[in-house]
Amino acid sequence: MTEIYPTIAHCAIVATAFKILLFPAYKSTDFEVHRNWLAITNSLPLWEWYYEKTSEWTLDYPPFFAYFEWVLSQVAKLADPAMLRVYNLGYDSWQTIYFQRFTVIATELVLIYALQLFVESSQTVTKRAAQAAAISVLLSPGLLIIDHIHFQYNGVMYGVLILSLVLARQKSGLLVSGLVFAALLCMKHIYLYLAPAYFVYLLRTYCFSSKFRIQFLNCFKLGSGIIGIFGLAFGPFALKGQIPQILTRLFPFSRGLCHAYWAPNVWAMYSFIDRVLIFVAPRMGLPVKMEAVNSVTRGLVGDTSFAVLPDVTPRVCFALTLLFQAIPLVRLFLRPNWDAFIGAVTLCGYSSFLFGWHVHEKAILLVIIPFSLIALKDRRHLSAFRPLAVSGHVSLFPLLFTPAEFPIKIVYTVFWLILFLMAFDRMAPPSTRPRFFLFDRFTILYITISIPLILYSSLLHQIIFGKSYEFLPLMFTSSYSAIGVVGSWIGFMVVYFTS
């Protein structure tokens, strides 16, 4: 009897129906951020977009995303013109809510198209395995939590990213891949984290021949194309001398090392150790900066002083990020192929997430999504992917803190993890190298311990402490998730250099 497997289209239809049911769900301040951007781009001249500050949620994405908001605003007039008034702060009529929620779903068509293209062009794994990986991305709990409840437009941008990655699979698509990625950078600058991998891969495969001879025509086409795209995005603002103002909005280093809720990275572990040392240091004779005792855990943006450990500067973050990105890029330059390219993109995402300055917890998708495309290459890849899939998605739970959304985030994420990790386990081919038996045991232990941690952070803490020590469950969730992300990173580094 022939087995029937769901297609991307089938899953997209079912997912859309579920997402529509979530229209009345909790929405974060990001909902008001994007409503304000609709108003700014629709009501004000182009030259005022990056200076407007009536709302505290000022426009801080690159121009292509601002143009994207302008296009949406032309349709928003038909839904509710009141949402397009700059001074109408906090406006959330049901027409506004339904319109903004629907646009997130509609623009995800880019993601669906890119994933379908990925399946059709699959070479490394079977079509069935590629389809499983694609559906896991489409139904990602991360995208559901961040885009369809919390509220953002990551789906369309990850669709553009995957499209760029798939185009890079064939030599004939390298130029278009680079140009699509350049356009993505002009939509959201967080993708700069992945740019070094693109630079090395395109340089090695498109600008150089196999014998390291420079292909001058290819260099010209790629360079002129990228300049043209950035010119379209930033050119109008450059004519008015507004580039410094835009850069100030895009790169606000004054926000501090850690986001208000720590992203699960090295600095979350560093901050946790500092919290522990506050109690241990006096017994060891170490000095404690009393003015910094509460600075990290009270969640204030820009407040990142440590009580015992040395403070961390943007230069330290940049140096560490660059160092750990350079390691896989050397291998990519010497042995350029598509799998190595996706691996390097993933590792660049890891490095930036783990060591970057003021990293948001939502940036973990920069690692999970590209890794998903090669997680089924063999068992060793899957071993490194498992702890990331668990810790990365669990780390997003604190974004939804209202009781109504509690069962949604828990049940949906657990169902996704069980379904896809079991499916991946059946489909991943064996590796030619020894499996990570010790690492697999670490993953099992890690997942086992995460269960009581989730229960404590989500339910028991409030029962025991009420509203006291509110940052404690956040700290535990972030720090413990960081262990999983770091462990996954180390495992994948080993896989990348021994494959």
Side-chain angles (χ1 to χ4, degrees):
M1 184 176 178
T2 303
E3 291 184 274
I4 299 175
Y5 297 96
T7 66
I8 293 176
H10 293 148
C11 292
I13 292 171
V14 175
T16 298
F18 179 61
K19 292 166 185 175
I20 290 174
L21 294 176
L22 295 175
F23 277 12
Y26 159 81
K27 57 186 185 301
S28 72
T29 52
D30 281 338
F31 183 88
E32 168 61 15
V33 168
H34 288 280
R35 186 217 59 82
N36 185 53
W37 293 358
L38 286 173
I40 289 173
T41 55
N42 182 265
S43 305
L44 301 177
L46 189 73
W47 325 118
E48 297 181 25
W49 288 0
Y50 287 94
Y51 286 89
E52 164 58 37
K53 56 181 181 180
T54 301
S55 168
E56 62 179 307
W57 314 118
T58 54
L59 180 59
D60 58 6
Y61 276 23
F64 273 180
F65 196 88
Y67 302 157
F68 169 77
E69 292 276 10
W70 178 85
V71 171
L72 294 182
S73 74
Q74 305 310 303
V75 186
K77 296 176 185 177
L78 305 176
D80 185 355
M83 78 172 82
L84 302 177
R85 297 169 188 161
V86 174
Y87 291 94
N88 218 353
L89 303 182
Y91 187 76
D92 62 348
S93 67
W94 69 264
Q95 295 97 330
T96 302
I97 294 172
Y98 278 48
F99 171 78
Q100 291 194 229
R101 295 284 198 196
F102 177 77
T103 56
V104 176
I105 295 175
T107 54
E108 273 190 342
L109 288 172
V110 177
L111 176 63
I112 295 170
Y113 170 75
L115 291 172
Q116 185 61 46
L117 195 64
F118 164 72
V119 174
E120 292 172 356
S121 63
S122 177
Q123 298 171 349
T124 305
V125 297
T126 64
K127 296 287 184 184
R128 180 181 158 201
Q131 186 162 285
I135 292 174
S136 77
V137 172
L138 178 65
L139 302 182
S140 165
L143 288 177
L144 182 80
I145 290 172
I146 297 172
D147 280 11
H148 299 282
I149 303 179
H150 191 267
F151 195 85
Q152 281 190 2
Y153 287 94
N154 289 287
V156 58
M157 289 183 283
Y158 279 109
V160 176
L161 173 64
I162 293 173
L163 178 62
S164 175
L165 294 174
V166 173
L167 288 169
R169 196 191 291 263
Q170 301 292 337
K171 193 170 183 64
S172 58
L174 289 172
L175 175 61
V176 181
S177 171
L179 299 183
V180 169
F181 183 71
L184 180 61
L185 291 179
C186 294
M187 284 191 74
K188 192 170 183 179
H189 50 302
I190 194 174
Y191 294 98
L192 280 169
Y193 290 163
L194 313 180
Y198 272 87
F199 175 79
V200 171
Y201 186 66
L202 292 175
L203 178 70
R204 184 65 179 83
T205 58
Y206 188 73
C207 297
F208 284 178
S209 69
S210 58
K211 297 181 179 180
F212 289 94
R213 292 178 180 174
I214 299 177
Q215 306 293 303
F216 290 102
L217 180 59
N218 287 353
C219 291
F220 174 77
K221 288 191 290 187
L222 181 61
S224 59
I226 291 174
I227 291 172
I229 288 171
F230 274 83
L232 285 173
F234 292 92
F237 301 97
L239 293 175
K240 291 285 188 175
Q242 295 185 357
I243 299 301
Q245 172 65 16
I246 293 177
L247 293 179
T248 300
R249 288 282 182 89
L250 298 185
F251 302 102
F253 287 106
S254 61
R255 289 184 178 180
L257 174 66
C258 297
H259 189 44
Y261 159 49
W262 305 345
N265 60 10
V266 167
W267 305 126
M269 299 169 71
Y270 190 85
S271 300
F272 180 79
I273 293 171
D274 186 71
R275 299 298 92 186
V276 173
L277 287 177
I278 290 174
F279 302 97
V280 177
R283 301 176 184 178
M284 300 174 62
L286 297 175
V288 178
K289 293 182 288 185
M290 298 308 299
E291 70 277 7
V293 167
N294 296 320
S295 66
V296 177
T297 53
R298 65 189 179 194
L300 297 180
V301 172
D303 195 16
T304 54
S305 295
F306 292 98
V308 180
L309 297 177
D311 289 338
V312 179
T313 66
R315 289 184 179 182
V316 170
C317 293
F318 179 76
L320 290 173
T321 301
L322 197 61
L323 170 65
F324 287 106
Q325 284 188 340
I327 296 172
L329 293 180
V330 172
R331 182 186 183 277
L332 177 63
F333 185 83
L334 296 176
R335 298 179 61 186
N337 58 66
W338 190 78
D339 283 346
F341 170 53
I342 303 300
V345 167
T346 302
L347 287 170
C348 281
Y350 266 118
S351 300
S352 301
F353 182 82
L354 290 174
F355 301 101
W357 178 266
H358 196 77
V359 176
H360 286 233
E361 65 285 344
K362 292 164 278 192
I364 192 61
L365 294 183
L366 279 174
V367 185
I368 294 175
I369 288 180
F371 200 166
S372 299
L373 304 183
I374 56 172
L376 288 173
K377 184 179 178 182
D378 60 39
R379 294 280 172 182
R380 282 156 51 90
H381 281 75
L382 181 57
S383 292
F385 179 75
R386 283 196 194 101
L388 172 69
V390 175
S391 59
H393 288 118
V394 169
S395 72
L396 299 174
F397 283 179
L399 291 174
L400 305 181
F401 49 83
T402 52
E405 282 68 40
F406 174 79
I408 297 175
K409 68 182 181 183
I410 297 293
V411 174
Y412 187 90
T413 302
V414 170
F415 178 76
W416 184 94
L417 288 170
I418 294 173
L419 179 64
F420 285 103
L421 291 186
M422 287 179 61
F424 281 13
D425 191 64
R426 290 177 57 191
M427 296 178 184
S431 173
T432 56
R433 294 182 178 272
R435 283 185 63 185
F436 292 156
F437 290 110
L438 183 62
F439 194 79
D440 287 339
R441 289 188 176 89
F442 159 77
T443 302
I444 294 172
L445 177 63
Y446 181 81
I447 295 173
T448 303
I449 297 177
S450 69
I451 295 172
L453 175 68
I454 294 171
L455 289 174
Y456 169 78
S457 299
S458 302
L459 292 175
L460 298 180
H461 176 83
Q462 191 169 7
I463 295 173
I464 298 171
F465 296 107
K467 293 186 178 181
S468 302
Y469 308 107
E470 287 183 321
F471 199 78
L472 201 59
L474 292 174
M475 182 172 66
F476 286 157
T477 300
S478 181
S479 302
Y480 190 74
S481 296
I483 295 173
V485 177
V486 171
S488 172
W489 171 62
I490 294 172
F492 187 54
M493 282 282 277
V494 174
V495 171
Y496 188 74
F497 283 97
T498 58
S499 296

